[in-house]
Amino acid sequence: MKEKLDQELMALVIKKHRPALEELYDRYIKLIYGFIFKFTNGNEEKTKEIVQLVFLKLWTTKSSFSPEKGNFVNWLLTVTRNVCVDYVRKDSIHIQNNQQIGMSQSIDIEDPNNDIENGLINSEITKAKNKLSKPQKRLIDLLYWKGYSLTEIAKIENEPIGTIKSRLHQSLKQLKKYLEVGDL
């Protein structure tokens, strides 16, 4: 298995060839673990759980990697990112449901300073975002607030994926600059 290319291994995984999945695991576990570890802000339990979900997704997926569309590593990281986003969405719904159950049992008085602080932060972000161009704002909204993938955004915008990635990079750079300046 070690001599096979990633795309050959993925083709075998689709045919339920377990040693191929094990080889992909061995090749990419450090990369995927590190990516997810950063995504979960260092939460080891969530990281381990999401790693399992990523490899389960590879094992059960019907779609396969296409070398014409890019590198295997990029495809694998996109799959990993999508699994992370799905996990966070499901986790937040679960937390929300538990909070609603908990609120019916006891009422916590929130610190008013947190609301003020959150309002100021949201205001700063909104002001910084408003300084971006329309395409940049739209991209940020589609990706971060509406949850579309970069591939989906490329289709929506009828632009090449490279253009979307470049625009995202520039948008985030500008946003960071506006937020660091402080005189919004």
Side-chain angles (χ1 to χ4, degrees):
M1 288 289 129
K2 293 194 183 302
E3 69 283 347
K4 293 201 180 290
L5 298 174
D6 294 334
Q7 63 219 36
E8 293 172 319
L9 290 172
M10 197 57 213
L12 290 171
V13 167
I14 290 174
K15 295 176 184 171
K16 303 297 181 218
H17 189 67
R18 187 173 175 177
L21 182 66
E22 291 169 357
E23 178 61 28
L24 286 174
Y25 180 90
D26 291 342
R27 286 184 191 181
Y28 294 106
I29 184 59
K30 288 181 182 177
L31 175 69
I32 291 173
Y33 188 91
F35 179 92
I36 297 169
F37 191 75
K38 285 180 184 176
F39 190 90
T40 62
N41 295 319
N43 185 320
E44 284 188 53
E45 281 188 40
K46 285 184 180 180
T47 299
K48 290 176 184 176
E49 192 173 337
I50 296 172
V51 165
Q52 288 179 348
L53 292 172
V54 167
F55 283 97
L56 179 65
K57 177 98 172 176
L58 291 180
W59 185 250
T60 59
T61 189
K62 296 293 180 212
S63 66
S64 63
F65 164 71
S66 174
E68 299 83 39
K69 293 182 180 178
N71 292 334
F72 180 79
V73 172
N74 295 341
W75 178 81
L76 184 59
L77 286 174
T78 300
V79 169
T80 302
R81 178 195 169 274
N82 291 343
V83 171
C84 287
V85 169
D86 289 345
Y87 180 89
V88 168
R89 284 181 185 153
K90 287 177 187 170
D91 196 39
S92 66
I93 290 170
H94 179 70
I95 289 169
Q96 216 172 20
N97 290 340
N98 285 343
Q99 285 176 344
Q100 288 173 349
I101 292 169
M103 289 191 82
S104 65
Q105 295 171 354
S106 66
I107 299 174
D108 292 330
I109 299 174
E110 290 188 29
D111 181 4
N113 292 331
N114 286 343
D115 289 340
I116 294 168
E117 208 173 296
N118 290 340
L120 289 172
I121 291 169
N122 287 339
S123 173
E124 286 180 29
I125 291 171
T126 300
K127 286 179 185 176
K129 196 174 102 183
N130 285 336
K131 290 185 175 188
L132 297 174
S133 68
K134 280 187 178 184
Q136 289 175 323
K137 278 192 263 187
R138 179 168 164 78
L139 175 59
I140 296 290
D141 286 338
L142 288 171
L143 184 67
Y144 293 107
W145 306 126
K146 296 190 177 159
Y148 288 101
S149 71
L150 289 174
T151 306
E152 292 170 330
I153 294 170
K155 287 178 185 171
I156 291 169
E157 297 293 317
N158 200 20
E159 300 264 2
I161 187 78
T163 302
I164 299 300
K165 287 179 181 179
S166 176
R167 188 178 299 151
L168 175 63
H169 176 72
Q170 292 304 315
S171 301
L172 293 177
K173 207 161 112 178
Q174 286 294 109
L175 202 54
K176 181 180 178 192
K177 184 179 107 179
Y178 294 144
L179 289 171
E180 286 175 348
V181 170
D183 51 328
L184 302 168

